[in-house]
Amino acid sequence: MSLTDLEAEASVPPASEEPDGRKIEGRSPWQLAWARLRKDKAAMISVVVIVLLIVMALLAPLIAKWVGYAPDFGDRKLGQTVDGLPVGPNGHHVLGTDRFGRDILVRSVYGARVSLLVGLVSTVLAVVLGVIIGASAGFYGGAIDTILARAMDVTLSFPYLLFALALAAGFGASVPLTIFVITFFSFASIGRIVRGQVLQIKEREFIEAARSLGAGSIRTMFIDVIPNLIAPVTVLGSMTIPTAIIFESTLSFLGAGTDPRTPTWGNMLSDATQSYTVAWWTLFVPAAFLLITTLAFNILGDAVRDALDPRSERLFAAQKANRKKKRK
Amino acid sequence: MTGRTTGLKAAAAIGVLAVGLAACGGGSGGSGGSDDGKPKKGGTLKLVGAGGQDNLDPTSAYSTTSSALQRTYARQLFAYPASKDPKAASTPVPDAAAEMPTMDNGGISKDGLTYKIKVRQGIMWDTQPARPMVAGDFVRAFKHMCNPASPVGAPNYYVPNIKGMQAYCDPYLKNKKLQQDTKGMEDYENSHDISGVKALDDYTIQFTLTKPASDFISLLGMTFASAVPVEYYKYVPNTPDEFRHLVSAGPYKITVFNPGKQIVLEKNTNWKQDSDPLRHQYVDRIEVTEGQESPETVQQQLEGGNADISLDQPVPASALGRLAKSNDPNLTVNGPPISNPYLVFNFKSPNANKAMSKLKVRQAIEYAINKVALARIYGGPKYNTPLNTVIPPDSVGYQDYNLYPTNGSQGDPAKCKSMLAEAGYPNGFKIKAAYRQAGNHPAIFQSYAQDMKACGITVEGVPVPQADFYTQFLQKTDNTTAGKWDVAAPGWVPDWFGNNGRAVVSPLFDGRNWADGTSNYGDYDSPITNGLIDKALTAKTVDEASNYWHQADQQIMKDAAIVPFMAQKTPWYHSSRVKGATWLPIAQQFDYTNLWLSGSGS
């Protein structure tokens, strides 16, 4: 799980892998991980999808300008029937409209902004917070550990949805509040795992060596411990992003995420409950965007874990290996 | 009576009840196509809904659900006919009274203070042996209104207006010792009289008022004023024990009362068709199944034929578009329309340099709103029409006029902008809009916020849970003065229709006595309007009252106290085997006593 393992593995390249007498190259563990990641086709497709989503989110205003409708503009002439029903995909509104006559395409594109912003920012905050608290708890131990670990346990035992709804009711729904809520409920699970890792690492010989050479706590922490956390934390982070995106959509769906006019996928899905029986596109389009985004981040997260920790074989990989053995 | 509890608790004593019409649309005329044919007898009418807040006691019950059920067993001097014409259906006619009193036939005195009313002969209580209903049963009804156990739902309609009733009620209501003491209550009522309510003989009752009230017949037409038989003294009012022993004077009687679960009504064999000009006894049984709180599920059951009529759940907004599109013949769209929702301004708000207290600003907003877009949220022109007046069509005082016309009622942002500039806001301003987090309300908020944005006004949304919206938010004067909201879109269902200024204009726009619990949420206070309300309430004739209500309407619109959005009719659905369904506006429900079931029934 940790970089030290990878180093150990990389430093003893098995000779059997060089049957054609290729030159033996020294590769860093990160290079090895990257090489493994690149071979994973699903991961590469996910990367492309995520890059496209990010580009789309960044270019949202340009797309809106090109389509001709602002995200919160209800087109009451072309985007609504006289009975107030949404209009299906057509020349004016490529992916149709919702029941206010707002363009589904433009809103979905803007929705990517909120989802990605909330997903990435709250994950970064959760990771930073989780590492600081988890590492402090694990490294210092004693009373500090007791207090911080219990605090994380308490956080994890909160009924997070009720808490989020109550906060939204009290302070008014907004993007910063959503980010706060997601960060608050994600940092603890990261922090707990980090704490466990640190407890392991600090018993290792190289830490003892550093200590015996006179390294102080701060130096040991930043030079020797934290770098060894990068791999597990990267994996945790990449798995937290899709959870955060789903959580944001859930909050919006329940009316506790953002102002209902803000184009988010959750808000769009919430609106769609009123109209999907007569207008499938109001449900389908935001749901598809949400599915694709979370799927891409999940697959990528999986692949990153596999790449950084090759010992945790995936089920299919293991089966394949077994089959090969049998054939021999 | 109709404590408009379409989902909310009945409001305060004023008597009208703000409603959380979660998903009401409104619409065009009476019920669907050719459902009539010849009435058929037999079958079990199945009602399904949330229920749970059952009060079946005629004197105190204050909900539309209860009114609809009481139609089958309680009788008033005047009641409403089953009619597909909304105006007729909201005009009271004699029920237990033998004729309509007028000044011409001597029933109403020239000063408008005395009402002499003949009671119809031949109405029998469901007692063994059958006992006729007499004038004394109505005198008892008024005495019973002030019982301390469960007094009348809306005392202000009766107590200050009937001579001697205040003096009779004050000591009785305050006597908490009597709350569980049925004998004590009986003794008090038998030993005290209301000087303004007298039985001149067994079939004549006389009311004396403290001031003229052209809507007194409407007040007598509420279930609060139902006849009370002597048997009710045996039970504490508003208890399951009482509900199981209610004595019917209508075509049905309660045979099973299982709180929150089931109510069953069966034929009252003492009831005779010729003693009842308004009701029929077509179905054999009425079965109420409670505990179903989801409008969607109720709708599914109705469409699937497992139930016939929703007890209390609206047609879900999500079904309106689909039903309209398929022209479902079992969907009815019923009037008279109500003004729901409407935009109310907070005159007290300090926000944006007190923008909301400035006439020019409010008038600018009147021009900004696209009423067509708002009406579409509630299903569009099939269910409702843009409204420009305070009083909606088919109510007394309504006259069509429009002080703030825009092209096709679609709003005029340019005009709004220029007026805002004149008012000193060339760059717009920022306000707070409170909205309910339920049903169509977030959609309504988004729609008018878009119109205001086009005019340069930035609208910040303040979501409020549905259950808190009135009592914990809009009706708290602290919130109003602190500027926690600048605009909001409440709804209002009047307690009765027709001559109902007392139940609409008066509670919503009388600026005197502004305090917690008010329904004049934003503290609109105009001496001119207040004066017109007084004149209208004490007018001797409906025509005179109508004229004053219309003047008040004009003054309120001139002052731009609200922005009316739409005249909204109520969509209501029934299973395909229900025939002859007519809308009872006062109960916001079909008249259970005038419909029948097709097929063999079951």
Side-chain angles (χ1 to χ4, degrees):
Chain A
M1 260 293 215
S2 67
L3 261 192
T4 46
D5 296 332
L6 292 172
E7 258 167 308
E9 186 191 31
S11 57
V12 192
S16 61
E17 276 183 17
E18 312 294 335
D20 50 2
R22 259 199 296 144
K23 229 186 187 180
I24 295 172
E25 270 177 69
R27 287 191 231 170
S28 80
W30 289 104
Q31 282 172 321
L32 282 171
W34 174 237
R36 278 192 287 267
L37 195 60
R38 254 196 339 207
K39 267 188 243 157
D40 192 333
K41 269 188 202 147
M44 283 303 107
I45 293 172
S46 300
V47 169
V48 171
V49 168
I50 290 167
V51 169
L52 283 179
L53 281 168
I54 292 173
V55 170
M56 186 181 87
L58 290 175
L59 296 182
L62 285 179
I63 295 172
K65 213 166 191 182
W66 174 64
V67 174
Y69 301 103
D72 61 349
F73 172 75
D75 179 4
R76 285 133 177 189
K77 292 200 173 72
L78 298 169
Q80 256 187 338
T81 70
V82 286
D83 296 324
L85 296 180
V87 168
N90 63 39
H92 297 285
H93 298 279
V94 184
L95 294 181
T97 61
D98 66 9
R99 66 190 192 122
F100 299 94
R102 297 180 298 208
D103 192 275
I104 294 276
L105 172 65
V106 172
R107 281 182 79 74
S108 299
V109 168
Y110 267 90
R113 294 190 135 194
V114 176
S115 287
L116 293 175
L117 178 78
V118 171
L120 295 174
V121 171
S122 50
T123 299
V124 168
L125 289 178
V127 164
V128 169
L129 208 61
V131 168
I132 293 175
I133 293 179
S136 306
F139 190 77
Y140 291 105
I144 294 179
D145 183 27
T146 310
I147 292 168
L148 291 177
R150 283 322 130 231
M152 286 189 282
D153 286 344
V154 168
T155 310
L156 283 172
S157 60
F158 262 64
Y160 71 94
L161 205 51
L162 286 182
F163 183 76
L165 291 175
L167 276 184
F171 296 97
S174 65
V175 173
L177 183 79
T178 309
I179 291 177
F180 167 78
V181 167
I182 297 175
T183 306
F184 184 77
F185 285 107
S186 311
F187 92 89
S189 51
I190 295 176
R192 230 160 51 155
I193 295 175
V194 167
R195 174 177 168 271
Q197 290 285 319
V198 172
L199 284 178
Q200 268 183 18
I201 293 169
K202 79 171 180 183
E203 303 302 327
R204 302 282 281 268
E205 294 81 354
F206 68 96
I207 300 284
E208 271 175 45
R211 285 238 163 118
S212 63
L213 289 173
S217 311
I218 301 287
R219 190 192 148 86
T220 321
M221 175 104 118
F222 282 94
I223 303 294
D224 298 317
V225 178
I226 300 262
N228 285 298
L229 291 171
I230 290 176
V233 164
T234 308
V235 172
L236 280 173
S238 62
M239 300 302 238
T240 306
I241 293 172
T243 317
I245 290 175
I246 291 275
F247 193 28
E248 186 278 323
S249 293
T250 309
L251 289 180
S252 291
F253 182 83
L254 294 174
T258 52
D259 184 285
R261 289 165 292 176
T262 313
T264 74
W265 295 334
N267 279 342
M268 293 176 74
L269 289 172
S270 177
D271 279 339
T273 55
Q274 301 284 318
S275 53
Y276 73 93
T277 48
V278 285
W280 57 268
W281 56 91
T282 57
L283 184 70
F284 179 80
V285 176
F289 270 105
L290 188 59
L291 179 75
I292 290 170
T293 308
T294 51
L295 197 63
F297 275 109
N298 266 325
I299 292 175
L300 182 64
D302 244 4
V304 167
R305 191 191 56 208
D306 293 339
L308 287 176
D309 184 8
R311 285 183 311 176
S312 71
E313 283 183 72
R314 278 178 302 184
L315 185 62
F316 293 119
Q319 282 173 347
K320 234 188 248 169
N322 283 343
R323 252 181 271 136
K324 269 184 198 161
K325 269 178 207 158
K326 272 177 205 160
R327 247 181 266 143
K328 278 178 189 172
Chain B
M1 77 152 49
T2 23
R4 305 320 165 156
T5 50
T6 328
L8 271 194
K9 267 181 210 153
I14 307 172
V16 206
L17 199 307
V19 169
L21 277 182
C24 253
S28 52
S31 64
S34 53
D35 53 45
D36 298 276
K38 219 176 155 225
K40 251 183 150 162
K41 293 207 166 201
T44 298
L45 179 71
K46 293 176 188 160
L47 309 176
V48 61
Q53 1 167 302
D54 315 291
N55 179 356
L56 300 175
D57 171 42
T59 303
S60 60
Y62 201 170
S63 79
T64 49
T65 309
S66 188
S67 294
L69 287 171
Q70 288 185 49
R71 173 79 166 180
T72 67
Y73 60 85
R75 301 282 294 267
Q76 302 84 39
L77 287 166
F78 304 94
Y80 296 85
S83 171
K84 300 215 169 183
D85 169 18
K87 201 145 191 176
S90 52
T91 306
V93 296
D95 177 5
E99 60 177 17
M100 182 59 78
T102 61
M103 288 193 184
D104 293 336
N105 69 16
I108 306 174
S109 64
K110 292 287 174 228
D111 59 6
L113 290 177
T114 311
Y115 284 66
K116 203 184 280 180
I117 297 164
K118 291 267 171 218
V119 176
R120 186 183 300 274
Q121 304 205 6
I123 300 175
M124 292 295 173
W125 288 108
D126 175 34
T127 51
Q128 294 302 333
R131 187 180 74 239
M133 181 185 282
V134 293
D137 294 323
F138 285 99
V139 174
R140 189 175 302 110
F142 284 81
K143 289 183 173 182
H144 210 51
M145 281 186 184
C146 293
N147 79 76
S150 187
V152 61
N156 281 359
Y157 290 156
Y158 305 99
V159 178
N161 295 324
I162 293 173
K163 205 177 145 203
M165 196 159 175
Q166 194 84 54
Y168 165 89
C169 283
D170 283 349
Y172 188 21
L173 259 178
K174 283 182 197 134
N175 194 340
K176 301 290 177 206
K177 267 188 251 158
L178 292 182
Q179 275 181 345
Q180 300 297 321
D181 178 3
T182 52
K183 184 77 178 78
M185 286 190 268
E186 182 178 2
D187 289 346
Y188 185 95
E189 293 186 18
N190 284 333
S191 58
H192 294 74
D193 287 313
I194 303 171
S195 60
V197 185
K198 273 191 194 129
L200 300 183
D201 59 52
D202 266 359
Y203 292 98
T204 314
I205 184 168
Q206 178 178 299
F207 294 95
T208 313
L209 308 185
T210 56
K211 47 191 180 251
S214 69
D215 55 0
F216 189 60
I217 297 293
S218 298
L219 297 178
L220 293 178
M222 306 193 68
T223 49
F224 299 137
S226 302
V228 170
V230 68
E231 283 80 6
Y232 287 9
Y233 284 138
K234 285 192 241 167
Y235 312 100
V236 177
N238 189 8
T239 56
D241 201 24
E242 183 208 14
F243 304 152
R244 290 189 185 106
H245 296 94
L246 287 170
V247 182
S248 171
Y252 298 93
K253 60 178 177 184
I254 292 166
T255 54
V256 175
F257 177 79
N258 194 350
K261 294 195 176 108
Q262 196 193 30
I263 303 171
V264 177
L265 297 113
E266 285 171 276
K267 283 184 175 178
N268 169 12
T269 46
N270 282 0
W271 177 86
K272 296 281 175 290
Q273 180 72 66
D274 59 11
S275 70
D276 195 330
L278 302 177
R279 301 167 187 80
H280 292 91
Q281 204 177 44
Y282 294 137
V283 303
D284 285 341
R285 248 167 93 87
I286 301 172
E287 258 181 36
V288 182
T289 307
E290 304 187 326
Q292 185 46 262
E293 290 178 12
S294 150
E296 282 79 13
T297 313
V298 169
Q299 183 66 23
Q300 274 173 13
Q301 293 192 26
L302 303 186
E303 288 184 40
N306 298 322
D308 295 309
I309 296 170
S310 163
L311 178 71
D312 50 13
Q313 296 299 303
V315 180
S318 55
L320 287 179
R322 175 171 55 79
L323 296 172
K325 208 173 175 180
S326 62
N327 269 322
D328 193 314
N330 301 316
L331 176 74
T332 68
V333 182
N334 308 284
I338 54 171
S339 173
N340 178 62
Y342 61 92
L343 193 75
V344 60
F345 295 108
N346 179 359
F347 284 68
K348 281 266 195 284
S349 170
N351 300 341
N353 197 15
K354 297 187 178 175
M356 289 302 111
S357 67
K358 293 173 183 158
L359 178 63
K360 257 274 152 58
V361 172
R362 296 193 305 270
Q363 289 180 331
I365 293 174
E366 296 271 357
Y367 282 108
I369 304 296
N370 183 336
K371 294 179 181 176
V372 173
L374 288 161
R376 282 177 181 169
I377 291 169
Y378 280 89
K382 282 196 183 76
Y383 302 96
N384 46 70
T385 47
L387 180 67
N388 305 306
T389 56
V390 173
I391 301 169
D394 294 330
S395 285
V396 164
Y398 169 77
Q399 282 182 38
D400 189 21
Y401 71 99
N402 188 357
L403 288 185
Y404 311 101
T406 61
N407 189 13
S409 292
Q410 299 197 28
D412 186 347
K415 173 114 187 164
C416 173
K417 253 188 178 152
S418 71
M419 288 184 74
L420 279 191
E422 284 171 42
Y425 295 95
N427 302 316
F429 53 84
K430 192 176 167 190
I431 57 169
K432 289 181 189 166
Y435 62 93
R436 283 167 273 178
Q437 277 178 304
N440 279 328
H441 303 298
I444 290 287
F445 156 70
Q446 292 179 65
S447 188
Y448 69 71
Q450 180 181 339
D451 299 333
M452 291 184 182
K453 189 184 172 193
C455 170
I457 304 169
T458 308
V459 184
E460 181 194 335
V462 180
V464 182
Q466 165 93 29
D468 296 343
F469 187 64
Y470 293 107
T471 53
Q472 301 302 316
F473 194 82
L474 285 187
Q475 295 185 313
K476 292 262 191 231
T477 52
D478 283 352
N479 289 342
T480 310
T481 45
K484 289 205 176 161
W485 61 281
D486 293 289
V487 294
W492 187 262
V493 178
D495 275 4
W496 71 90
F497 290 83
N499 188 4
N500 65 358
R502 188 187 299 274
V504 181
V505 180
S506 182
L508 298 185
F509 300 104
D510 189 330
R512 295 160 289 188
N513 309 320
W514 186 72
D516 277 348
T518 180
S519 300
N520 178 3
Y521 312 108
D523 193 25
Y524 164 68
D525 188 5
S526 149
I528 303 174
T529 304
N530 295 345
L532 287 165
I533 288 172
D534 286 346
K535 283 184 181 161
L537 287 176
T538 54
K540 284 179 203 163
T541 65
V542 178
D543 287 346
E544 204 187 323
S546 173
N547 185 28
Y548 286 127
W549 289 128
H550 175 60
Q551 287 181 36
D553 185 324
Q554 286 178 307
Q555 184 61 39
I556 294 163
M557 287 313 297
K558 216 165 101 187
D559 294 335
I562 63 165
V563 184
F565 286 166
M566 66 191 95
Q568 191 179 78
K569 295 191 179 177
T570 309
W572 212 247
Y573 196 85
H574 58 69
S575 70
S576 56
R577 67 183 194 135
V578 170
K579 304 292 175 195
T582 46
W583 186 247
L584 206 53
I586 197 163
Q588 293 285 294
Q589 177 59 280
F590 295 127
D591 182 351
Y592 304 144
T593 63
N594 275 298
L595 51 81
W596 61 93
L597 303 171
S598 72
S600 54
S602 59

